[in-house]
Amino acid sequence: MEYQFIRDPIAGLKVRISDEQALIARWLNEELDKSEVAELVTRCHMMTKGQPAWVRLGNEIRFTLNADEALFEAHALFQEGDDISQYADDALELDDHRLVAGCGFEDFVALLMAWQAFIAGK
C-alpha cells in the first residue's frame, strides 16, 4: 500500500492513499483522533489469530479489525431507506467505489505505526 503524509499549515496533518483505498485515508483523517493512534497500535500488537474481530463504529465509517485484515465500510452501504429493486430492469447497482476499502493486517499495522511516528514528529 502506498501512502503519503502531509503537513499542511491550514489543514494540519493528513494522510493521502491511492483512490481504491481512499476510505482508509478518510478514516485516519476524519474518524480516528490523533490521540487514539497509540491505543490502536497497542490493540493491533495484542491481536492474535482466533481472537474475535474488533469493530469500531465511527460517524461515517465502520472499521473492523481482525488478525488477517482491516476493513473499512462507509455507513452508506447499510442504508435501507430506498428500495432499489424497482430499478432492477435498468441494470443499475450500488457503486461500491469509495464505500469499501481494506488491507492486510500487516500492511495496516505498518501504516498505523508510520502515521504514529509522523504525528509525533519523528
Side-chain angles (χ1 to χ4, degrees), residues 27-94:
W27 183 79
L28 284 169
N29 291 329
E30 299 172 14
E31 298 270 334
L32 183 67
D33 191 85
K34 289 168 185 56
S35 65
E36 298 174 293
V37 174
E39 179 183 333
L40 186 54
V41 168
T42 301
R43 180 178 292 276
C44 288
H45 288 307
M46 294 177 10
M47 181 72 61
T48 60
K49 295 279 185 191
Q51 184 176 356
W54 179 68
V55 178
R56 181 178 190 263
L57 294 176
N59 292 328
E60 296 182 26
I61 300 168
R62 178 171 72 182
F63 168 63
T64 305
L65 179 69
N66 63 41
D68 296 317
E69 70 176 346
L71 180 64
F72 303 82
E73 300 167 293
H75 292 311
L77 285 173
F78 308 105
Q79 297 297 322
E80 296 180 16
D82 295 325
D83 179 18
I84 62 171
S85 65
Q86 63 184 333
Y87 303 111
D89 292 338
D90 297 333
L92 296 175
E93 62 185 58
L94 181 64

